[in-house]
Amino acid sequence: MRKVSRLSRFNVASLALGLAFLYLPILILVIYSFNASRLVTVWGGWSLRWYHEFFNDRAMIEAAWMSFRVAVSSATIATLLGTLAAVALSRGERFRGRTLFSGMLYAPLVMPEVITGLSLLLLFVALNAERGFWTVTIAHTTLTMCFVAVVVQSRLGSLDRSLEEAAMDLGCDPVRAFLSMTLPLIAPAIVAGWMLAFTLSLDDLVIASFTTGPGSATLPIRIYSEVRLGVKPEINAICTLVIALIAVVIVIASLASKLSSSQGESAAPL
Amino acid sequence: MSSRRIFARPARFAAIAPYVWMVLFFLVPFAFVLKISLSLTAIAQPPYEPVFDLMAGWDALKAAFAALSIDNFKLLVSDDIYVFAYVRSLTVAVTATALLLLIGYPIAYGMARLPKSWQAVAMVLVIVPFWTSFLIRIYAWINILQHDGLLNQILLALHLVSQPLVWLSTNSAMYIGIVYSYLPFMILPLYATLAKMEPALEEAAGDLGAPPWQVFWLVTFPLSLPGVGAGVLLCFIPIVGEFVIPDLLAGSNSLMIGQTLWLEFFTNKDWPVASAAAIVLLVVLLVPLLLYERLQKRQLEQGR
């Protein structure tokens, strides 16, 4: 902690400005959702009027319910598949097609969503599948299982393998050793993975637009079509509710990863 | 050692379900994109005329390959709209990534200089907006940037301008939106490398008489290059295909390739051309990915 590495005034300023830049817009949005005025920009006192409006908007409620169902089911399937993938990649050592497998798991993380959405839509059309809840769920599972795999894999990588080996030396078969030793140790990462998958699915607009059918819009699709027509105070209220829901999820996920890091090395950053 | 082997076998079986899933819903769809990009445009439903039918057997497949049409790709190269869209996407991505690096680096650097216990707090603070819906974050900016929005109200109140400025539907609004949305993706990999860096190296350079800017430019920055590479890649690739942010914040006069693709697909219903555009985009994006991989390999070799 000598002169170069000390926190300079410049460091503090850039940090403070950066965090302000990240948080102020969201804060303003939340404050204006309690605005009584119909004009979004004129302050008319505190009010819950726009929340009331939202809860009476059938189309929005239906879209929110659809989003929630898709997020829960796709996050659950994605967590199952992603955890299996992570186990295979970090414990399976070599198997045929491993390179292709890990390539397929990492590609969706960086690929533009427009391409993922387009290709899945073309598949569903070719299969003549009816588009709606299930097609969106499948699409979201495909995307989010890759994130789950990354999170769980990094936890598995930091785990001491001798624990599994000790269990097996004491007479456990590999599956028992995994279930009784490894699984409890990576459980916090699995929980964090589910949460990440859940919020990613709740958030997704592009892939859902490609893979859903008429009459089964998700919440982002609804919000998007409203926003394109102009700003409405009701949207502020919906957005605040979504932010609140995600905040709850983050608190749970960070508790889970705290648990995970107190048991071993640092948890995955996501 | 032997128990590790025993474990490997059932672990391999764990790959089966996710493997099948990814082949079905990730790899196979690209076969369809490729197939349709080589098809002819038709007005029928679905709006393309297949050139070959995978179910028709090997002979039919061979005949179809002999008569493959690459007209859709030729159209992409000859039509100005597409060429402009690709050029604009790349320009926007390069500019935005440079801005992100410029803005994200000091923040990441500041985080890495914090006391250890504060670093964890700062990291959570940077990640939280990443968890918050990006559509909502863009919408928050529309609130601020619109004609009678907060920004113009503040500028008017401070008498910096005499009448409201136009912010929405401009390039500046789009860059604000992109930088805002992608900032965590730039900060996190930068922070990861900066936090691991040995502070003694900077101190040594300082003790040897280098002024702070030289310490930064000759020691800190070169050592943080892996983080710079990862951050640039994490931002650049998705920005090229970005669709929602330019659609909501930029004007509609000059489109990026993501929007062009979307319009071609949903409005013009020209699926073959949209598919061809997607494939070209994919090929374009492979270039920075492969470059990054080569760079990483070289760094690994140097490290040894």
Side-chain angles (χ1 to χ4, degrees):
Chain A
M1 284 289 159
R2 260 169 290 163
K3 59 184 174 194
V4 195
S5 63
R6 210 180 44 211
L7 200 63
S8 71
R9 215 176 282 171
F10 175 74
N11 293 153
V12 176
S14 56
L15 252 182
L17 280 178
L19 289 178
F21 177 61
L22 283 176
Y23 281 91
L24 271 182
I26 299 175
L27 197 68
I28 292 166
L29 177 90
V30 172
I31 292 173
Y32 270 99
S33 76
F34 295 103
N35 185 3
S37 164
R38 172 162 288 284
L39 292 165
V40 188
T41 48
V42 178
W43 186 254
W46 298 89
S47 148
L48 287 175
R49 165 177 180 192
W50 306 115
Y51 291 88
H52 197 76
E53 201 112 314
F54 165 64
F55 284 109
N56 288 319
D57 187 337
R58 281 212 67 127
M60 276 290 178
I61 294 283
E62 258 164 41
W65 179 232
M66 165 90 176
S67 274
F68 185 77
R69 283 186 305 148
V70 168
V72 169
S73 21
S74 69
T76 307
I77 307 171
T79 304
L80 271 170
L81 292 171
T83 305
L84 284 173
V87 169
L89 281 177
S90 68
R91 294 292 188 266
E93 275 147 41
R94 284 208 192 123
F95 55 88
R96 214 170 284 163
R98 189 184 194 280
T99 319
L100 174 69
F101 184 52
S102 67
M104 283 193 299
L105 276 175
Y106 285 115
L109 300 178
V110 284
M111 211 158 61
E113 289 183 318
V114 181
I115 297 181
T116 314
L118 177 83
S119 64
L120 277 164
L121 171 57
L122 294 180
L123 172 79
F124 293 140
V125 168
L127 295 177
N128 221 349
E130 194 195 332
R131 274 173 279 143
F133 174 79
W134 279 109
T135 47
V136 184
T137 302
I138 288 173
H140 282 182
T141 304
T142 309
L143 177 75
T144 56
M145 70 181 270
C146 306
F147 285 88
V148 175
V150 169
V151 172
V152 175
Q153 206 189 338
S154 82
R155 178 81 188 123
L156 274 170
S158 66
L159 215 68
D160 192 353
R161 283 188 120 182
S162 54
L163 292 169
E164 286 158 6
E165 282 158 21
M168 278 189 280
D169 287 344
L170 292 171
C172 278
D173 60 82
V175 176
R176 261 264 326 267
F178 178 79
L179 290 180
S180 59
M181 205 63 235
T182 319
L183 199 59
L185 285 173
I186 60 170
I190 294 176
V191 173
W194 190 92
M195 302 287 179
L196 182 62
F198 176 81
T199 53
L200 282 171
S201 166
L202 208 61
D203 184 24
D204 169 69
L205 166 69
V206 178
I207 292 177
S209 304
F210 272 104
T211 49
T212 194
S216 47
T218 60
L219 192 59
I221 296 176
R222 277 251 157 238
I223 295 178
Y224 180 63
S225 58
E226 292 280 334
V227 169
R228 292 190 82 182
L229 301 175
V231 172
K232 274 170 65 182
E234 190 198 331
I235 304 288
N236 284 338
I238 301 169
C239 291
T240 305
L241 288 174
V242 174
I243 292 172
L245 176 66
I246 290 173
V248 171
V249 169
I250 293 172
V251 169
I252 298 174
S254 64
L255 284 180
S257 73
K258 200 173 224 170
L259 207 71
S260 143
S261 59
S262 68
Q263 283 172 354
E265 281 296 287
S266 65
L270 291 181
Chain B
M1 268 320 208
S2 63
S3 51
R4 186 171 288 196
R5 284 266 171 70
I6 300 169
F7 203 86
R9 190 183 292 246
R12 258 178 258 164
F13 284 115
I16 294 173
Y19 209 138
V20 169
W21 183 284
M22 286 314 279
V23 168
L24 268 182
F25 297 117
F26 185 74
L27 212 56
V28 170
F30 282 110
F32 282 100
V33 178
L34 198 62
K35 177 190 162 187
I36 291 170
S37 76
L38 297 167
S39 305
L40 302 169
T41 309
I43 313 299
Q45 196 57 255
Y48 66 92
E49 190 134 345
V51 170
F52 55 91
D53 185 357
L54 288 174
M55 305 297 157
W58 184 240
D59 284 334
L61 211 63
K62 263 202 294 200
F65 268 109
L68 263 184
S69 149
I70 54 164
D71 287 354
N72 298 314
F73 290 95
K74 282 188 191 149
L75 180 76
L76 286 183
V77 185
S78 60
D79 195 332
D80 281 353
I81 295 179
Y82 297 102
V83 178
F84 278 135
Y86 281 112
V87 170
R88 176 164 158 85
S89 296
L90 292 175
T91 321
V92 168
V94 168
T95 316
T97 309
L99 283 171
L100 278 160
L101 191 59
L102 233 56
I103 297 169
Y105 204 105
I107 301 175
Y109 192 81
M111 278 171 71
R113 289 287 163 274
L114 285 174
K116 270 277 174 285
S117 53
W118 283 72
Q119 284 189 18
V121 177
M123 192 149 102
V124 170
L125 284 175
V126 170
I127 292 173
V128 167
F130 160 80
W131 286 67
T132 314
S133 164
F134 89 104
L135 182 61
I136 290 177
R137 287 184 285 149
I138 296 306
Y139 174 70
W141 275 105
I142 297 180
N143 267 334
I144 296 170
L145 295 175
Q146 63 183 320
H147 184 72
D148 49 359
L150 212 61
L151 183 61
N152 273 333
Q153 285 184 15
I154 292 172
L155 289 177
L156 286 172
L158 293 175
H159 296 288
L160 288 172
V161 295
S162 53
Q163 53 190 2
L165 298 177
V166 178
W167 291 98
L168 268 189
S169 306
T170 64
N171 275 339
S172 351
M174 179 188 64
Y175 282 118
I176 291 175
I178 293 180
V179 167
Y180 185 65
S181 310
Y182 285 91
L183 199 54
F185 292 95
M186 183 59 88
I187 293 179
L188 290 175
L190 284 176
Y191 163 74
T193 49
L194 285 170
K196 268 189 294 188
M197 202 179 288
E198 192 62 63
L201 292 169
E202 291 183 345
E203 281 162 25
D207 289 345
L208 291 171
W213 65 267
Q214 233 177 11
V215 174
F216 175 78
W217 190 241
L218 294 176
V219 178
T220 316
F221 188 73
L223 284 173
S224 68
L225 276 180
V228 173
V232 164
L233 200 72
L234 271 180
C235 294
F236 181 82
I237 292 182
I239 294 175
V240 173
E242 189 52 63
F243 157 72
V244 180
I245 302 175
D247 191 56
L248 288 176
L249 294 178
S252 52
N253 42 5
S254 54
L255 298 175
M256 286 172 65
I257 191 62
Q259 291 161 282
T260 314
L261 214 156
W262 180 286
L263 281 177
E264 205 62 72
F265 198 85
F266 285 115
T267 314
N268 294 348
K269 298 224 183 278
D270 193 338
W271 291 16
V273 170
S275 303
I279 286 183
V280 173
L281 177 59
L282 209 61
V283 172
V284 168
L285 291 179
L286 270 180
V287 176
L289 265 177
L290 293 177
L291 273 179
Y292 178 72
E293 209 185 82
R294 267 188 71 175
L295 211 79
Q296 235 182 2
K297 218 175 245 171
R298 196 180 304 161
Q299 254 155 9
L300 270 178
E301 279 161 12
Q302 275 176 356
R304 264 171 213 156

